[in-house]
Amino acid sequence: MKEKQFTEDVCKVLVHEDSETVFALLNKAGIEIDVEKDNVFDVIRKIRGLKA
């Protein structure tokens, strides 16, 4: 339960970050996004660890 609350809190904070910060965090986590090629579903798959 504590982990779920923590995850929800982190998501609530990330929603209010600017796009550059979110892209930097994703990049730092090893998730590269090609804004010319990827769409939102590709990005979600990458975040979930699936291949786009």
Side-chain angles (χ1 to χ4, degrees):
M1 185 67 170
K2 188 175 183 178
E3 182 179 332
K4 182 179 181 196
Q5 183 62 49
F6 177 76
T7 304
E8 288 175 3
D9 291 344
V10 169
C11 289
K12 288 175 188 174
V13 171
L14 283 175
V15 166
H16 297 287
E17 292 294 332
D18 59 87
S19 59
E20 291 84 13
T21 301
V22 173
F23 273 98
L25 290 169
L26 290 172
N27 195 12
K28 194 166 195 163
I31 300 170
E32 293 187 24
I33 299 170
D34 182 347
V35 294
E36 298 295 323
K37 186 177 114 184
D38 293 334
N39 63 40
V40 70
F41 299 109
D42 295 330
V43 174
I44 290 170
R45 283 188 205 100
K46 289 177 180 185
I47 291 170
R48 290 179 176 164
L50 302 173
K51 298 222 181 222

